[in-house]
Amino acid sequence: MDDFEQAVRVIFTQDQSISPSVREQAQRYCDTVKARPDGWRFCWERFQQSSCLEVRFWCLQLLPQVLPSLPLEARAELREKLLGWLREVAPGKQEELVVRNKLAIVYVVLLRLDYLASWRTGWRELVALLDKGPNLVDFFLRVLAIFDQEVISDEVPKSSEERQYCHQIKHAMRESDVAQLVECWYKILTSFKAAAPQLVNDCLKAIGVYIVWIEITMVADDRFLTAICSLISEAGPCSGEACTCLASVVSKKMPAGKKVQMLTQLQMLRRLEGCIHQNSGPAQLLEEEAKMLNSIGEDALEAYVDLRVQNGGECAGLAQNAWEFVKQLMSFVFCSFSNQEHSIADRVEPFLTEFFVKVKSFVSAPDPKKMVEQSPCHTVSLEEVRPILTKTLQLIIQRIAYPEWFQHDDPSFEDDERHVAFVEFRRSLTKIYKRIFLVDELLGFQFVQASLAQLAQGLASVRPSEVEAVLYLFREAGETVKDLGQHLQAQGPLAGCFIQLLECDALVKAEHGQVQMALMELHVKYGKIFALHAELFPRYGQRVLQSFVGPPTGIRSSDPRVVSRACFMFARFVKLVKTQVAPLAPQIYAALQDLLVVQFVPSALLPVQAEVPLTKVAIKGALKADDQACLYEALASLVACSPAEGSRAGLEMLLKSPAGNLSEILGGASAARSSTDMPGFAGWAGRSIEAMGEVSKAFTTNHADAAPIWEEVLAAVARILEKFSGQLGRQIGLWKAALFLCRRMVEVLKDRFLGPLDSLLPFLYACNDPVDLTELTVFAHHLVCQYQQKSEPLMQKWLHQMFLQPLAVWQQMPEGSEQLKRERLELSFSLLQLLKEGAQRCPAALLKPMLSGPACRHGQEMMNFLLIGLQDSNELKSLTCASGAWAALLDTAACPTPVAAGLCQSPSDAAAALAALPVAQVLQRLLWSVARMDYNDVQSQKVLGEAASVLRAVTNPRAQPQEQLRKTMDALQQALIGALPGLRNDASPRRLCETLGQDAPLKDVRMALQQCAVDWRRDCG
């Protein structure tokens, strides 16, 4: 082993014991070889002499790198050496794959460099060696593949000069070499299919890529297509690649008329009939055949669509030929589409989808105006298309059914590749199905009617998956109707189908899970018919309700998936037919009463690390919390639409169980036991409160008779919160349930809720979780928005807690991650929103503590917090809230508003109130941020408006004595100087001050302020 071989081995070895310095030394040695003027010759010789694979690989890898810089004579010498090796050595030596590839790359680089200038015989010399056996044929095919990848293909980025050069190579090859290459391909296809099928596959691949730019007639002739179709019909190892090759031949880009002529002259349909296996071959081959049919169909359809809108004597005839081809091709497509393997059927779906996208446009007279505009030379009658539509519908109903292997109830299969592929296939079939209705709606309705009739007659012999498929397609048919309500009102075909379905008692009572869920979807989809035609409910309504309520179906099903879906869909159904179902509410409640019980769950049953709160834990055999919530909401919607007397009684009936739980905890037998499991009993209370919150969703202020009941509930909730004041953590769920009920009571009780809320608020604020406090502060903000001035007494009483508790938590929140920063920002923003809304709706509640001096802590903290809100010009949402709050507060502090608001006794006191606020700091921070905020953000215009309001308020001459006004103007000028450092001209600040001095309209102040920012940015870049 000499030094060179040692160096190469070191470069390639994975031995970790070799030090980096030794590797570096080996690399330097090889670099010297690479730099030698005769390095290429040295490498070729070592390639021939060495038996070491690493050495041979390194030498061949170097040659393509140095070839472009070699003199023409050196490249010519290397060509001779390479051809000599191919003649003398290659036929009898089986080289490693990497060596064969590298040799082919060397040959391709020589062709690219010298073919046009000095080696026009490059292809012919290679072709002349093919008689020497399979090794040379393999080399020839590798050269073809690499030549396409490196020289011809547009996928490799090239400069305009390189693209021009490659076009010249292709042109020269067309003139002198392509015909000979095509002959070689034919010889390989016919000579090696038994002895070396891999060579035939490689040859078919080469034909597929070269057909793109060579003359089509060289390959698209009888002998070539006979050879290719023969390979397909034999179902051998080359059949799949032969399908791809035939599709490539048909897909050759050419004018539509020429393509149709080619398909006709080559008798493509006859050839397909002779080689397609009609679902009797290996699955992989059938899949390749389906892909081929899909490609041919898309090409033929595109040709027809192009030809039908062209003018000229031949176009109509060619369009007719294209349409006939598409029609006859459909039999082959349907054969693949009917295969039980969805992976095969899926391969022709793109063509079918494209067909039904286009077919509406070329069925005669779909839109007379459009037909006149297009003036097509060929149209198709609906009668011609209808057999295709009918066959497609028949196959869709077979193919859309879930296969036996599909797992519906195992979440681990949700991401399984096979399952995902079928779900996508089913979705595609649904789109095709809907498009058929767009072409022939009557046929679609007839199909649905016939499917349901056939299902009802033979239900006992139909597999559940097929039943589900029929019901699913019936539901999707409703999506094709523009106004389903109007369709049902007019008793259209789908209304008749729904009644037809309800007549089948065995179907409505089916116990299979997928069938039950499909039926529920239909009951909700078409259930509005009972409201539109009240006479139908006495006959069919009870049957539908029974299918929901069970047993053994629906909510009483043994399948948990069906139970959850039934609870959800039942709530949707009863809302459609409340008037009809409301009288039955007591009976339905009695049937479901045991499922509506909110059961006690000991906290010991909750795993230590569980993320699910106690309110979401369910005992085995009982309903999940979300399912139970759906039932409560559904029953409440029935009770709420009853007359006043029945509504109150119904509400008491629904609240009896959950409210009774609270009474039990507060004063019953469980009161003493609650101390032994505080989290468990707190969770029980939380679930009970959540249930009452779900009931409240159906009630509004229109149910005035129910208000006393809700007030009693709120009183009990307040006592519960007081009892479990130390158990309000997120995991327990009690606090969240109480807040949920409070939100609902704003809608249910309106002004009457303010009294109970006074008792609830202090307990709601007895939490330290940042997320909970953010949620609670948002709720407080909504309260102020809802009640406005009426919320002022509540704000005055509890503002210290409503502000200081979230503030204390906010101040302690870390910012160690993006999530923590976001949570901190959300809490601060919700506080700013609350202060802004409070300042605008009930300003006295904020101003009184602010003007009370240092003795009132929350007043001082609010001012500081609002000043902080002004200082970050990047947080425009916070800046908007803070500036809006200051604008409202300063405007209120201006005379005579504070006198009217009760903040002071006289205008002189009002001036003192204005002076007590940190006006100078507000101006400094506000103007600094206004000058630097992003004016491309629409939020900036709101900030600008609020800032203009602040400036007008603090410079209002009627709000303060002249001396105080002078000090305010001085503070404004100082704030402008600090906010606009480096401003070359003070014209815009001066204009702003003049505008304020003239008591100009707000929009003028705003424009002057924005101009200050514009001028400063212009001067300071």
Side-chain angles (χ1 to χ4, degrees), residues 219-239:
V219 174
D221 58 16
D222 181 67
R223 63 170 189 151
F224 245 103
L225 293 187
T226 299
I228 295 172
C229 291
S230 173
L231 291 171
I232 297 173
S233 65
E234 291 170 5
C238 305
S239 299

Side-chain angles (χ1 to χ4, degrees), residues 150-192:
E150 301 296 327
V151 180
I152 303 301
S153 176
D154 291 330
E155 294 180 7
V156 178
K158 298 183 180 74
S159 65
S160 57
E161 292 80 7
E162 288 173 329
R163 285 196 297 272
Q164 181 64 31
Y165 183 71
C166 292
H167 287 317
Q168 292 172 0
I169 291 177
K170 286 195 290 187
H171 180 69
M173 286 180 64
R174 288 191 195 100
E175 288 185 341
S176 58
D177 293 312
V178 167
Q180 194 173 11
L181 295 179
V182 170
E183 287 302 317
C184 294
W185 295 340
Y186 181 74
K187 187 175 181 181
I188 293 169
L189 292 182
T190 54
S191 304
F192 290 95

